[in-house]
Amino acid sequence: MKKIGLFYNFATDKTKRCAKKIEESFNSKKFEVVAIDVNETLTEEQFLQFDSIIVGVATWFDGELPFYWDEFVPAIEDMDLSKKQIAIFGLGDQITASENFCDAMGILGNLFKERGAKLIGYTKTKDYIFEGSGALENDKFMGLALDLDNQAKLTDERIKAWVKQLEKEF
Ligand SMILES: Cc1cc2nc3c(=O)[nH]c(=O)nc-3n(C[C@H](O)[C@H](O)[C@H](O)COP(=O)(O)O)c2cc1C
């Protein structure tokens, strides 16, 4: 049984809905997914207790992290993540924020990589329509991009496919 830490802010709307679907999509015979709230009480120890980590982050403020993740950035900057595998799912709006689509996924992804983590769960940009994104690496998203504002109907199948991919990569 592999343990996965699933980190997102429990007070969010769309991020939370997606996190729940991700949690339910894992094969429960092989994976134990432990959800942890990202808020002011989140500690470095809570984050580092897992070697397999999923984080959920929406993009706010025109290409920025939401405040609940932003407050945790100084803690991440001090971490040794060299033994960690991290997968990110990002929420964004590719129409109204077309030049900053899911940028926050890239902010966290680059930070995790700088601290030595191995990012997993990269996905193709096919079927998305946006001008620019800070979450791209070699033309792929550094995780799973979800857009409940414009492509809600694609969410379930995107999550199912991504979790299948993660079950192999973790
Ligand atoms: C004020 C505001 C700013 C936003 N800025 C961006 C942005 O820069 N890039 C992006 O992709 N989405 C942006 N969005 C869209 C949100 O990321 C998207 O609606 C997301 O699903 C919200 O998730 P949440 O309900 O979990 O907070 C913005 C939304 C709001 C309300």
Side-chain angles (χ1 to χ4, degrees):
M1 184 78 105
K2 187 161 235 169
K3 227 178 187 182
I4 298 172
L6 172 63
F7 293 84
Y8 65 97
N9 179 274
F10 288 7
T12 49
D13 170 25
K14 298 183 185 109
T15 305
K16 182 179 178 174
R17 277 194 260 153
C18 294
K20 296 252 175 215
K21 283 183 184 169
I22 288 169
E23 189 174 354
E24 287 160 11
S25 300
F26 272 93
N27 180 341
S28 59
K29 293 197 181 99
K30 292 186 180 154
F31 296 90
E32 183 194 353
V33 181
V34 182
I36 309 262
D37 194 3
V38 177
N39 60 25
E40 65 280 2
T41 68
L42 178 66
T43 64
E44 216 166 309
E45 291 71 32
Q46 276 179 306
F47 194 79
L48 293 171
Q49 69 181 303
F50 302 95
D51 290 333
S52 305
I53 294 168
I54 299 174
V55 309
V57 62
T59 301
W60 284 7
F61 316 122
D62 296 331
E64 302 292 334
L65 290 175
F67 61 83
Y68 47 84
W69 270 114
D70 201 40
E71 284 170 9
F72 197 58
V73 165
I76 298 171
E77 284 173 338
D78 280 340
M79 287 177 184
D80 172 7
L81 297 175
S82 55
K83 293 188 180 69
K84 310 294 182 192
Q85 284 190 306
I86 305 183
I88 307 170
F89 67 98
L91 280 282
D93 178 337
Q94 64 202 294
I95 303 296
T96 59
S98 190
E99 293 183 356
N100 307 96
F101 181 50
C102 286
D103 277 12
M105 176 159 61
I107 296 171
L108 285 186
N110 285 318
L111 195 54
F112 292 144
K113 280 199 299 175
E114 277 164 28
R115 303 311 305 152
K118 179 169 191 249
L119 287 193
I120 62 167
Y122 282 63
T123 60
K124 291 183 183 147
T125 59
K126 190 178 168 284
D127 298 329
Y128 297 85
I129 305 156
F130 60 96
E131 299 288 326
S133 171
L136 297 179
E137 187 182 339
N138 299 327
D139 295 329
K140 280 187 157 185
F141 289 119
M142 296 161 107
L144 178 66
L146 296 168
D147 182 346
L148 274 62
D149 300 297
N150 307 293
Q151 295 183 329
K153 282 188 184 147
L154 298 178
T155 298
D156 284 5
E157 62 184 77
R158 281 176 174 163
I159 285 176
K160 275 209 173 75
W162 193 58
V163 168
K164 277 216 165 74
Q165 181 182 338
L166 293 186
E167 287 184 337
K168 288 189 198 129
E169 293 186 34
F170 268 134

